[in-house]
Amino acid sequence: MLFDTIAAISTPIGEGAIGIVRLSGPESFGIVDKIFKANVDKLDWEDRKLKYGHIYDGDHLIDEVMIVKMYAPRTYTREDIVEINCHGGAVPLREILRICLREGARLAERGEFTKRAFLNGRIDLAQAESIMDLINSKTNKGFDIAINQLEGHLSNKINMIRSELIKIMAEVEVSIDYPEEDIEEITYDALGSGLENAALQIQNLLKSSNTGKIIREGLKTVIIGKPNVGKSSLMNVLLKDSRAIVTDIPGTTRDVIEEFLSVDGIPIKLVDTAGIRETEDLVERLGVEKSKSYFNAADLVIFMLNGAEPLSPEDHMLMEKVKDKPAIVLINKSDLEQKIELESISDIFSNEQIIMTSMSNESGIQQLEDEIKRLVFGIQIDQGNQEIVSNTRHIALLEIALKHINEALNATKQSLPYDFIEVDVKEAIVQLGLVTGESVASDLMQTIFSQFCLGK
Amino acid sequence: MSMGYKAGDFGCIVVGAGHAGVEAALASARMGVKTLLLTISLDTIAFMPCNPSIGGPAKGHVVREIDALGGEMAKNIDKTLIQIRMLNTGKGPAVHALRAQADKFAYQNEMKSTLEKEPNITLKQAMVEKLIVENDVVKGIITRSGAEYYSETVVLTTGTYLRGRIIIGDLIYESGPNNQQPSINLSHNLKEIGLNLVRFKTGTPPRIHRESVDFSKMEIQPGDEVPRAFSFDTKEYRLDQIPCWLTYTNFHTHMIINSNLHRAPMFSGAIEGTGPRYCPSIEDKVVRFNDKPRHQIFLEPEGEFTEEMYVQGLSTSLPEDVQIEMLRTIPGMEKAEMMRPGYAIEYDVVVPTQLWPTLETKKIKNLFTAGQLNGTSGYEEAAGQGLMAGINAACRALGKDPVILDRSQAYIGVLIDDLVTKGTNEPYRLLTSRAEYRLLLRNDNADLRLREIGYKIGLIDENRYQAFLLKKNQIESEIERLKAYKVKPTSEVQEMLKSAGSSELNNGTDLATLLRRPEVTYDMIESLFPGLSEIDSAVKEQVEIEIKYAGYIEKQLLQVEKMKKVESKKIPEWVDYKTIHGLSLEAREKLSKIQPLNIGQASRISGVSPADISILLIYIEQGNKNMELNQHGKTE
């Protein structure tokens, strides 16, 4: 609500070598102190001085950053502000934001930094109306709409977990508020197993929500095809198109080039492989092994064929490998005379999957991007996983809910009185309710009175 | 109405002398305001038309809060109880709750006598029929006999009397509770002056003759053996307590109910009012929970010198003959002699969202309403509201600032905030689960939360206040002592830990840390390391709770701090929700109706979204700046 600490990615995703995560509010210094380790000194922070170091998620290194703290009131919002300058790819920005939210910041609403600047008397009257419009504006972007549909599945799932928790809590509450009624009190064992179940489900949501992960971490996309089929050109065209930047991800070999780009907001982690074919050459084989593992882990395979040549035995071999993966087949060099046997390709792949492209005149790129979007939002990629947590805010809420459930579990194991355990259970329900927009009080009453027979 | 005559001038008039009315009148009078208390019958002051008992979870907490603030309910029940127990002792300290069985007749007499002795109270029997209202400000009241009383403030506490209607099977008649006269004209008058009324329903079970009961077929339920009391000031405890009795309904009871449902007003449509979900009638329970083989029945004595017993669990509006038949299927009641039948009662309720958090109506200035009239159920909820309405009416008459308790201070605060902010569509019962900060709103610390306020407004006298300060100091210094006292792993300490089932010490520590262990109690520590002076058990209890549960208490205090920030953002009076660009329609309508005092209250209204709150904040800020600009413009 009012005066809490907000955070947001303040630079457009995928548009620069650096990205900025910004926090504003009373907790912003405290949050950053928890996740930032300065490299050299532990001296006091100076106002408006950059400091070099690393952001950690627990023991896990997230990114190398420069941080500046700005002390209230001499800031844009007139609150304490921290700006974390990190690498500009989608992953570091989203990860850093996620950790900030988990540590207690709230994802800023549209225009909220400016809103605070206004509320705290920093900017003038004329801007008020436009901020109101900003807060009020409903976004029409296809991306958001698609996300919203996916989130529908998530809401259902979260509501299920939430109502399980409410049921458990109703049992606790009823024994507190109606101690003399003829109702069996819930045991610590039952309470514990109910909580464990909820924790497990939330963990699974956080872990396995595939599209969410795609949206958070990038769609793992592998380009394969014979040498000289146009893989590098495709990469360059896509990168130019999305104005994405090239980041060197530590651990990647020269044989596999990994890039980030974004297609209408969908971050894509693009891998150009060294080619997947059997080889006797030891040096080349190292690259191939790596390629294979990338291929196996890929969310999407872009399979490139040369339209100007008949299919080679190697093409047939690759086709066999690709056919069971979510794949898009690009028949490249469509500007040249076509010699490829289209029938044998359409025997294996559907029409939507096959796209004619030419890297020299950049034709077919729009169709490719459209097909990627369709695959991501049409849930073609993984039919099994329909609950998608993509929204950073939701991830943060789920993480906080999980934290509270674990605390409640702890208290249960120590056999603390129910009214203490309930504090964290209630908080978890509140957090889950924030995802779906429901309040605890009325739902709890409803459950108590429909489940238990009470009376005078 | 008879010919009018001028009958007197007062600072405060309280209409109705039930549990809300008596608290309102006593508070107002004790704060120094000349108070008139009117009741339809002087013989039903503080009458308990339903359960002869007071307290329970949340309700008992309210009684303690009333006492901390300087109200009467706790003292009155302590003087007239015939049994008292602490409930929920197996659970945490926050939900420990006192419940007492009252001698309901003694309770009435005692309260009447207290009122009569109060010098600032004029107590009269009269039926109020009309409010005197000029330009939406209340000026006084007119009784059926034509007496016109003028007053700066009026507090209405009419309970279930407004257009009351009793229903027993197909027998339906206009009546207040227990066949008292209903108040018809006042209800019409309230509508005329612009208040919105709705219809609620509640009910009560039959009463039976003690001599007709075979207690050998029931389970005895005695009171606690430890002395207990509701009031922080009670020093004398009743120990020879009278038991209650437990029995159950069975298949035969349910069969009789099921085969008579066509005669049940609950299902035939004869009852139009909304009943409470949490205390349904037996016919409701049997229908809704038809898989339950039995329902619990408590037999509670109505008093020490009466043979009448209250059949808790059997609230009903079934026809009289069905009630008798039903009673006689229950073990121990085979020969039960029914003395009064159970009944349902319908009555008019003031929609409570028409009230400010002071319980003053928004529509009519200086008019306050409290108790069951505001849609609650329960004596304790009524008394809590009555006390606050009385305090605020007196504050108004004395030109003082109002007293509003927030949700972190008291269950009374939760109750009133719920009523005026969310409203209620059924008789509202307070439950501990309605409170966000339950660990802070404990039975044991009501005085620490509220006595300061009671003293400040003049309801707690100097003696009681000094006793309170002493207790507070003792708690603080004892906590300090335990924190500072270092202990080494001596054989004594290890022995104590071992016998408590706790692990032995490796290094030295302090007593507070030791007490934080779940197995270690204050008494164990005190026996090894006694303090300088003898301290009261209530102090020990506080020390133990505050140290043991410090982590959780701090957690809640942090939440409270957050809430207070939002709560401190006031909504100015000039705000016109209808002109705020960007508010959702629902928010606009609800906000206009509720007129929240601050952003916190606004955000608790259902249908008001965080985006609406953002827009509201900007609008307020914009307006404030405009005003500043205008002022500067004038001076420049």
Side-chain angles (χ1 to χ4, degrees):
Chain A
M1 251 326 289
L2 189 62
F3 303 132
D4 57 357
T5 297
I6 52 173
I9 298 172
S10 295
T11 43
I13 287 179
E15 296 226 352
I18 318 176
I20 294 177
V21 173
R22 182 157 64 167
L23 294 104
S24 176
E27 300 295 321
S28 42
F29 291 176
I31 290 170
V32 167
D33 289 343
K34 276 190 245 170
I35 61 172
F36 174 73
K37 289 198 182 103
N39 261 33
V40 204
D41 54 346
K42 268 287 178 188
L43 290 177
D44 280 346
W45 288 83
E46 272 183 73
D47 192 12
R48 298 159 190 248
K49 282 265 167 65
L50 275 174
K51 207 175 172 96
Y52 171 75
H54 293 88
I55 296 284
Y56 284 87
D57 179 4
D59 296 327
H60 178 58
L61 174 67
I62 299 295
D63 201 9
E64 174 188 33
V65 298
M66 299 286 284
I67 286 189
V68 58
K69 284 188 180 176
M70 292 171 265
Y71 289 71
R74 293 194 309 145
T75 69
Y76 180 60
T77 57
R78 293 206 166 163
E79 300 171 337
D80 285 345
I81 284 188
V82 177
E83 286 185 1
I84 304 173
N85 293 258
C86 62
H87 287 103
V91 173
L93 280 168
R94 279 170 190 269
E95 281 296 289
I96 291 172
L97 179 61
R98 184 179 64 85
I99 302 166
C100 290
L101 298 184
R102 195 193 50 211
E103 293 301 331
R106 172 173 63 71
L107 190 69
E109 294 159 21
R110 273 164 205 283
E112 197 169 4
F113 285 95
T114 308
K115 186 185 94 187
R116 290 195 172 194
F118 174 78
L119 287 179
N120 293 323
R122 169 72 170 62
I123 57 174
D124 71 6
L125 257 176
Q127 298 180 8
E129 283 288 323
S130 61
I131 303 166
M132 279 201 216
D133 287 339
L134 195 60
I135 293 167
N136 228 14
S137 74
K138 300 270 185 296
T139 161
N140 288 320
K141 279 200 288 177
F143 178 69
D144 285 353
I145 290 168
I147 293 264
N148 287 343
Q149 285 167 351
L150 295 183
E151 300 281 333
H153 294 289
L154 175 69
S155 297
N156 286 340
K157 180 73 187 174
I158 288 184
N159 275 333
M160 261 171 54
I161 304 174
R162 195 170 160 274
S163 49
E164 283 304 309
L165 285 174
I166 286 182
K167 256 195 214 156
I168 296 174
M169 203 159 93
E171 286 198 43
V172 174
E173 295 292 350
V174 89
S175 73
I176 289 173
D177 274 322
Y178 293 89
E180 292 180 296
E181 287 286 337
D182 187 17
I183 296 164
E184 223 172 286
E185 206 165 288
I186 186 168
T187 61
Y188 281 104
D189 281 349
L191 187 57
S193 74
L195 291 172
E196 257 161 27
N197 184 35
L200 195 70
Q201 291 192 57
I202 295 176
Q203 275 161 357
N204 285 341
L205 263 186
L206 283 167
K207 247 190 267 168
S208 70
S209 51
N210 201 38
T211 304
K213 218 160 64 195
I214 287 166
I215 289 160
R216 216 164 74 235
E217 295 173 2
L219 179 77
K220 267 182 260 140
T221 306
V222 170
I223 307 177
I224 66 162
K226 286 182 300 190
N228 296 323
V229 72
K231 296 184 301 248
S232 304
S233 315
L234 172 67
M235 210 141 173
N236 288 333
V237 169
L238 284 174
L239 287 174
K240 192 178 80 186
D241 198 49
S242 72
R243 288 178 297 140
I245 41 86
V246 181
T247 50
D248 282 324
I249 301 296
T252 58
T253 70
R254 286 290 150 211
D255 306 306
V256 179
I257 300 166
E258 207 174 296
E259 315 271 9
F260 273 93
L261 57 100
S262 115
V263 171
D264 282 5
I266 305 168
I268 293 186
K269 190 168 160 187
L270 197 59
V271 178
D272 180 10
T273 65
I276 298 176
R277 61 197 154 109
E278 301 306 322
T279 173
E280 294 303 311
D281 183 294
L282 192 67
V283 178
E284 203 180 338
R285 209 166 67 201
L286 277 176
V288 173
E289 288 304 317
K290 194 86 193 171
S291 304
K292 270 190 182 165
S293 73
Y294 270 91
F295 177 81
N296 290 333
D299 299 313
L300 172 67
V301 176
I302 297 179
F303 176 33
M304 290 185 82
L305 290 164
N306 184 346
E309 288 174 9
L311 290 168
S312 66
E314 200 182 350
D315 286 333
H316 280 290
M317 190 267 288
L318 287 173
M319 237 186 300
E320 274 307 302
K321 285 192 189 297
V322 170
K323 69 172 189 195
D324 298 325
K325 301 274 304 182
I328 298 174
V329 182
L330 298 186
I331 300 179
N332 197 27
K333 310 197 182 176
S334 61
D335 51 322
L336 302 178
E337 193 195 333
Q338 296 295 286
K339 292 189 181 152
I340 199 163
E341 303 91 329
L342 270 177
E343 307 77 39
S344 36
I345 302 167
S346 52
D347 278 351
I348 299 180
F349 300 100
S350 70
N351 281 341
E352 296 87 51
Q353 278 176 285
I354 305 168
I355 298 168
M356 302 295 191
T357 58
S358 164
M359 293 308 132
S360 42
N361 60 21
E362 295 184 14
S363 70
I365 297 301
Q366 187 58 49
Q367 285 102 300
L368 171 61
E369 291 186 350
D370 288 349
E371 183 60 16
I372 292 176
K373 272 190 282 179
R374 193 183 70 83
L375 283 172
V376 172
F377 294 121
I379 327 176
Q380 301 288 311
I381 289 177
D382 185 345
Q383 295 279 7
N385 252 310
Q386 304 231 325
E387 295 89 30
I388 287 110
V389 195
S390 62
N391 185 315
T392 322
R393 185 177 78 95
H394 294 171
I395 295 167
L397 291 172
L398 285 173
E399 285 192 338
I400 297 172
L402 184 61
K403 199 173 86 185
H404 283 292
I405 292 176
N406 284 331
E407 280 177 36
L409 259 173
N410 240 335
T412 310
K413 281 177 191 141
Q414 292 176 46
S415 303
L416 284 187
Y418 285 138
D419 36 325
F420 291 99
I421 300 170
E422 179 269 355
V423 172
D424 282 303
V425 181
K426 203 177 211 170
E427 200 49 43
I429 296 172
V430 168
Q431 297 299 326
L432 294 178
L434 288 177
V435 179
T436 57
E438 270 139 292
S439 84
V440 193
S442 58
D443 288 0
L444 182 62
M445 295 300 146
Q446 192 63 45
T447 309
I448 290 180
F449 295 128
S450 60
Q451 233 177 332
F452 299 100
C453 177
L454 312 155
K456 66 176 171 185
Chain B
M1 211 179 297
S2 314
M3 264 262 290
Y5 73 99
K6 289 221 162 54
D9 291 297
F10 292 88
C12 177
I13 297 174
V14 179
V15 181
H19 304 281
V22 297
E23 294 291 349
L26 284 168
S28 151
R30 287 168 178 168
M31 284 169 73
V33 175
K34 199 180 157 205
T35 303
L36 173 66
L37 175 58
L38 298 173
T39 168
I40 289 176
S41 165
L42 282 171
D43 302 324
T44 54
I45 287 172
F47 177 57
M48 298 183 177
C50 202
N51 264 44
S53 92
I54 279 179
K59 292 162 168 279
H61 290 71
V62 166
V63 181
R64 296 280 277 174
E65 290 171 359
I66 290 171
D67 188 63
L69 287 165
E72 197 61 29
M73 185 173 245
K75 287 188 195 167
N76 206 65
I77 181 67
D78 283 349
K79 283 186 263 184
T80 58
L81 59 84
I82 55 175
Q83 186 197 99
I84 185 163
R85 297 169 60 209
M86 183 69 90
L87 308 177
N88 276 338
T89 47
K91 304 187 183 87
V95 296
H96 290 182
L98 283 170
R99 200 177 91 111
Q101 293 299 136
D103 180 324
K104 67 192 274 185
F105 305 102
Y107 190 91
Q108 279 174 244
N109 290 337
E110 184 61 39
M111 190 63 89
K112 184 167 182 245
S113 149
T114 301
L115 292 167
E116 288 163 347
K117 284 180 199 145
E118 188 60 47
N120 265 338
I121 289 183
T122 306
L123 178 63
K124 281 181 188 294
Q125 178 165 303
M127 167 86 80
V128 173
E129 300 224 309
K130 210 172 169 225
L131 299 179
I132 306 168
V133 177
E134 286 168 21
N135 301 323
D136 285 345
V137 181
V138 74
K139 300 286 180 188
I141 57 100
I142 306 175
T143 69
R144 179 159 61 181
S145 52
E148 291 172 14
Y149 293 99
Y150 288 83
S151 176
E152 284 169 74
T153 59
V154 173
V155 182
L156 294 180
T157 60
T158 57
T160 59
Y161 282 74
L162 283 191
R163 286 208 306 129
R165 197 170 77 128
I166 279 183
I167 302 142
I168 308 169
D170 53 7
L171 171 65
I172 299 173
Y173 55 95
E174 290 192 338
S175 172
N178 197 36
N179 293 347
Q180 295 295 307
Q181 290 181 68
S183 177
I184 312 284
N185 290 341
L186 184 59
S187 175
H188 295 310
N189 182 240
L190 292 184
K191 266 185 215 150
E192 276 161 28
I193 62 172
L195 292 180
N196 185 12
L197 306 182
V198 288
R199 204 117 172 102
F200 276 5
K201 168 245 157 187
T202 187
T204 194
R207 317 295 201 265
I208 58 174
H209 198 290
R210 177 192 292 272
E211 295 292 309
S212 67
V213 179
D214 178 358
F215 292 108
S216 69
K217 292 182 177 165
M218 299 180 178
E219 204 180 299
I220 192 164
Q221 198 198 40
D224 286 351
E225 280 169 21
V226 218
R228 298 196 189 280
F230 274 100
S231 172
F232 289 97
D233 306 305
T234 294
K235 298 281 178 270
E236 283 166 41
Y237 304 93
R238 170 161 184 161
L239 289 175
D240 60 321
Q241 300 187 6
I242 300 173
C244 295
W245 300 87
L246 175 62
T247 178
Y248 297 92
T249 63
N250 53 41
F251 171 74
H252 298 288
T253 328
H254 302 177
M255 211 172 63
I256 287 165
I257 291 166
N258 277 320
S259 58
N260 281 289
L261 283 181
H262 60 285
R263 298 177 65 196
M266 281 300 296
F267 302 101
S268 68
I271 289 179
E272 49 189 67
T274 316
R277 279 175 300 176
Y278 49 79
C279 67
S281 57
I282 185 70
E283 50 269 34
D284 220 11
K285 289 194 268 188
V286 167
V287 170
R288 275 175 55 205
F289 297 91
N290 59 7
D291 55 332
K292 248 193 132 186
R294 63 178 201 179
H295 295 278
Q296 192 173 262
I297 301 291
F298 276 108
L299 270 191
E300 304 174 9
E302 293 249 295
E304 197 168 0
F305 306 104
T306 173
E307 300 305 312
E308 249 185 300
M309 294 199 89
Y310 176 92
V311 189
Q312 198 246 0
L314 216 66
S315 170
T316 183
S317 57
L318 283 164
E320 197 171 281
D321 57 308
V322 182
Q323 293 191 26
I324 297 170
E325 210 184 332
M326 178 166 86
L327 276 169
R328 293 186 177 162
T329 60
I330 298 170
M333 299 196 205
E334 292 83 355
K335 292 179 180 157
E337 231 8 276
M338 186 169 82
M339 295 176 72
R340 305 179 203 218
Y343 61 84
I345 183 165
E346 285 188 337
Y347 52 99
D348 285 343
V349 160
V350 169
V351 174
T353 50
Q354 298 172 98
L355 307 174
W356 298 116
T358 54
L359 297 178
E360 183 183 13
T361 63
K362 291 167 189 166
K363 173 85 183 142
I364 309 291
K365 204 173 170 212
N366 298 340
L367 176 65
F368 297 75
T369 64
Q372 225 157 346
L373 171 63
N374 287 348
T376 58
S377 96
Y379 315 138
E380 305 83 353
E381 286 91 338
Q385 289 174 69
L387 176 64
M388 296 317 291
I391 288 173
N392 282 314
C395 285
R396 174 63 52 79
L398 298 167
K400 288 187 183 168
D401 283 344
V403 179
I404 297 170
L405 302 176
D406 72 39
R407 302 182 73 91
S408 70
Q409 277 176 304
Y411 274 99
I412 298 176
V414 173
L415 162 71
I416 293 176
D417 183 64
D418 275 351
L419 287 176
V420 304
T421 307
K422 298 174 187 161
T424 180
N425 44 26
E426 66 183 325
Y428 177 102
R429 173 186 167 153
L430 200 51
L431 300 161
T432 69
S433 34
R434 295 194 196 264
E436 293 86 345
Y437 315 110
R438 188 157 68 185
L439 298 185
L440 304 179
L441 305 184
R442 302 190 305 271
N443 176 72
D444 59 77
N445 71 353
D447 55 343
L448 294 166
R449 291 185 271 126
L450 301 168
R451 197 135 264 202
E452 201 75 53
I453 298 174
Y455 176 66
K456 227 174 99 188
I457 56 178
L459 289 181
I460 296 293
D461 63 29
E462 198 57 42
N463 279 343
R464 290 162 83 191
Y465 184 61
Q466 287 307 327
F468 160 73
L469 286 184
L470 180 71
K471 175 179 173 189
K472 208 174 142 191
N473 285 337
Q474 284 183 340
I475 294 167
E476 281 162 13
S477 55
E478 181 61 3
I479 289 178
E480 279 314 306
R481 182 182 81 93
L482 295 188
K483 279 184 178 167
Y485 201 114
K486 302 283 179 234
V487 282
K488 296 205 172 86
T490 60
S491 58
E492 264 185 316
V493 173
Q494 305 292 46
E495 196 50 48
M496 178 210 37
L497 290 173
K498 226 161 77 186
S499 65
S502 193
S503 56
E504 295 187 4
L505 276 183
N506 294 324
N507 300 304
T509 184
D510 57 83
L511 290 177
T513 311
L514 219 48
L515 182 51
R516 244 169 244 135
R517 294 186 173 197
E519 313 82 13
V520 177
T521 65
Y522 178 85
D523 286 340
M524 294 177 192
I525 284 185
E526 201 201 19
S527 65
L528 285 188
F529 308 98
L532 284 176
S533 57
E534 188 60 29
I535 51 175
D536 194 63
S537 65
V539 173
K540 294 177 188 173
E541 187 185 14
Q542 278 313 305
V543 171
E544 179 154 9
I545 291 170
E546 293 213 7
I547 288 182
K548 245 186 177 11
Y549 303 112
Y552 278 96
I553 290 171
E554 269 160 33
K555 221 183 235 184
Q556 294 234 304
L557 284 173
L558 272 177
Q559 293 173 343
V560 170
E561 206 180 298
K562 274 190 191 161
M563 181 269 294
K564 291 246 163 133
K565 276 184 185 166
V566 192
E567 217 74 359
S568 68
K569 193 93 187 165
K570 302 275 175 257
I571 299 177
E573 275 177 35
W574 51 257
V575 167
D576 179 3
Y577 298 102
K578 292 192 180 69
T579 65
I580 304 181
H581 158 78
L583 277 185
S584 73
L585 261 159
E586 190 185 1
R588 209 177 287 195
E589 188 196 312
K590 294 253 176 83
L591 287 164
S592 308
K593 197 174 102 187
I594 311 286
Q595 299 179 60
L597 298 183
N598 57 57
I599 293 293
Q601 196 193 350
S603 66
R604 285 193 294 274
I605 300 171
S606 71
V608 176
S609 73
D612 292 321
I613 294 293
S614 284
I615 287 165
L616 180 57
L617 278 170
I618 289 176
Y619 176 83
I620 292 169
E621 200 57 33
Q622 202 176 2
N624 284 342
K625 283 186 186 169
N626 269 331
M627 281 178 190
E628 261 174 54
L629 279 180
N630 288 342
Q631 280 168 0
H632 284 295
K634 272 172 209 156
T635 52
E636 271 160 19

